[in-house]
Amino acid sequence: MCSTRGRIDGSKPTSIKTSEEVRDRLRVLADERGTTITELLEELATRELTP
């Protein structure tokens, strides 16, 4: 996965509505892993979604 400053190559901006609490938790998880929320969501979606 190639990225530049949290932007995954070939990606398009997308909005996801969630609570502030979930957003804050995603930020903490991303910081703990040394990544961005965008990259964290990409990883989670790739790992969890079925074809």
Side-chain angles (χ1 to χ4, degrees), residues 33-45:
R33 296 176 186 202
T35 190
T36 64
I37 292 175
T38 299
E39 290 173 330
L40 178 66
L41 289 172
E42 171 94 4
E43 174 191 335
L44 291 170

Side-chain angles (χ1 to χ4, degrees), residues 18-34:
T18 188
S19 68
E20 288 183 20
E21 290 138 16
V22 170
R23 182 208 54 213
D24 293 345
R25 179 66 182 141
L26 289 169
R27 184 173 291 130
V28 168
L29 286 170
D31 288 345
E32 287 175 352
R33 296 176 186 202

Side-chain angles (χ1 to χ4, degrees), residues 1-12 35-36 38-40 42-43 46:
M1 177 174 8
C2 261
S3 66
T4 304
R5 300 183 67 142
R7 184 96 192 250
I8 299 167
D9 291 340
S11 68
K12 295 181 180 180
T35 190
T36 64
T38 299
E39 290 173 330
L40 178 66
E42 171 94 4
E43 174 191 335
T46 301

